[in-house]
């Protein structure tokens, strides 16, 4: 099935961004609001303490499971918010590169944020997303 998400790019803004600047979906779309996807294993333990890249990869894997449960795929994602527990820009970039590459070639609008702490012990990365599918 083809995604109903339209990604918006414009030459009036910098082409340095590795994501679309906006996205749209038809008015009759079924919206899916996903909780923050965390780097947890099936037992609820945080995987890869101290490793931003590995946690970003696991958070994305868990996001795909949640999308599938809602009848969607990563190509149906309208926007994301990537939270990284760090005050170092390099850690944010490390996590972002994993998320960006995992979504490729679909690059939904995204916000990347450094935060002081996340909800689980040793958690460094969380990915929030909104998706849309046809009714």
């Amino acid at each position: 099935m083809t995604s109903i998400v339209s990604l918006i790019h414009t030459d009036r803004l910098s082409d340095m961004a590795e994501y679309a600047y906006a996205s749209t979906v038809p008015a009759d779309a079924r919206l899916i609001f996903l909780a923050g996807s965390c780097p947890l294993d099936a037992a609820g333990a945080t995987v890869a303490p101290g490793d931003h890249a590995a946690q970003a990869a696991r958070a994305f894997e868990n996001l795909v499971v949640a999308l599938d449960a809602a009848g969607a795929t990563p190509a149906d994602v309208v926007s994301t918010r990537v939270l990284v527990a760090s005050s170092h820009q390099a850690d944010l970039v490390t996590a972002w590169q994993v998320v960006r590459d995992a979504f490729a070639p679909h690059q939904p609008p995204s916000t990347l944020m450094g935060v002081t702490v996340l909800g689980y012990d040793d958690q460094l990365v969380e990915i929030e997303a909104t998706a849309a599918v046809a009714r």
Side-chain angles (χ1 to χ4, degrees):
M1 181 189 277
T2 304
S3 176
I4 61 170
V5 177
S6 294
L7 300 180
I8 313 250
H9 300 272
T10 177
D11 59 4
R12 294 185 296 158
L13 295 171
S14 171
D15 62 358
M16 294 295 295
E18 299 171 318
Y19 48 82
Y21 280 103
S23 60
T24 63
V25 298
D28 62 345
R30 180 172 64 91
L31 295 177
I32 303 165
F33 301 93
L34 292 100
S37 178
C38 302
L40 304 178
D41 64 18
T46 303
V47 302
D51 188 335
H52 289 89
Q55 286 199 10
R58 183 55 178 256
F60 188 84
E61 290 172 16
N62 291 344
L63 177 73
V64 171
V65 172
L67 285 165
D68 184 62
T73 71
D76 299 314
V77 170
V78 176
S79 67
T80 69
R81 181 177 297 125
V82 180
L83 309 171
V84 181
S86 179
S87 61
H88 301 285
Q89 187 178 30
D91 295 334
L92 278 69
V93 170
T94 295
W96 168 248
Q97 288 172 334
V98 171
V99 173
R100 176 202 64 206
D101 292 349
F103 268 108
H106 184 67
Q107 297 296 333
S110 189
T111 298
L112 176 63
M113 298 172 49
V115 299
T116 57
V117 67
L118 291 166
Y120 293 99
D121 291 339
D122 300 317
Q123 181 184 0
L124 299 173
V125 178
E126 188 162 334
I127 306 168
E128 292 180 30
T130 302
V133 295
R135 289 190 186 267

